[in-house]
Amino acid sequence: MSTSPGLSTRARELAGEVVRFLLVGGVATLVSFVGFNALVHGLFIGRAPLGSQPLLAFVLVNLVAGCVAYAGMRLWTFRHREASDSVEGVIRFFGLGALTMAIPVICLGISRYGLGLTSPLADNLSANVIGLTLGAGTRFWVFRRYVFDQVHAGAHG
């Protein structure tokens, strides 16, 4: 009899990671969405301090959202996994996160500068719906594979 977890146990553990990843990502996305719309479209603040610089605003708010995401993933999503090296894990998380952030930035850039669409709806569809959806699957795999790459001995779910 094998002592390793069965396929159904591993599938449940992976499903749990995916659900926790999506919930943490949802909170980080809310931070990004509200921050972006405040800076670019004046949501809640009445003026748009970065209205003419949507790409910069997107990057800035996603730095904050990235901190929220790291805390949630470290403490909850991947709590049973460790980075091979904790300092290197943080560097990998933010480095790879920055690389995957290129996906929604490119989508926003195409919408704004390629198609000339500047409305709040166009910005949010391109960056926060299309871009973040495309980036989310990439980030899950990248973070699980290259950041939180070590499972604690005996840890499950």
Side-chain angles (χ1 to χ4, degrees):
M1 180 179 273
S2 172
T3 59
S4 64
L7 180 58
S8 64
T9 299
R10 287 192 305 261
R12 277 193 307 275
E13 290 170 359
L14 180 60
E17 281 183 349
V18 169
V19 168
R20 291 186 304 269
F21 177 85
L22 292 173
L23 290 170
V24 168
V27 171
T29 298
L30 183 62
V31 169
S32 174
F33 176 82
V34 170
F36 176 77
N37 282 287
L39 293 174
V40 176
H41 300 291
L43 180 69
F44 301 129
I45 60 176
R47 60 184 187 82
L50 293 177
S52 64
Q53 298 177 36
L55 299 181
L56 174 62
F58 192 82
V59 170
L60 291 175
V61 299
N62 277 284
L63 287 172
V64 174
C67 293
V68 169
Y70 183 80
M73 287 184 200
R74 173 70 270 141
L75 298 172
W76 190 45
T77 303
F78 298 116
R79 69 185 178 273
H80 62 286
R81 300 177 72 87
E82 284 292 332
S84 304
D85 174 317
S86 59
V87 172
E88 186 177 312
V90 171
I91 293 168
R92 283 184 193 172
F93 180 88
F94 285 100
L96 294 169
L99 288 175
T100 61
M101 187 174 43
I103 296 167
V105 169
I106 289 168
C107 292
L108 178 59
I110 289 170
S111 175
R112 272 279 176 141
Y113 304 113
L115 301 175
L117 304 173
T118 61
S119 72
L121 180 61
D123 282 352
N124 284 290
L125 283 175
S126 63
N128 293 318
V129 175
I130 296 168
L132 289 180
T133 299
L134 292 173
T138 304
R139 276 189 294 284
F140 176 78
W141 180 78
V142 165
F143 292 160
R144 189 173 193 274
R145 173 70 176 92
Y146 295 106
V147 178
F148 305 108
D149 57 344
Q150 305 295 313
V151 178
H152 291 300
H156 299 290

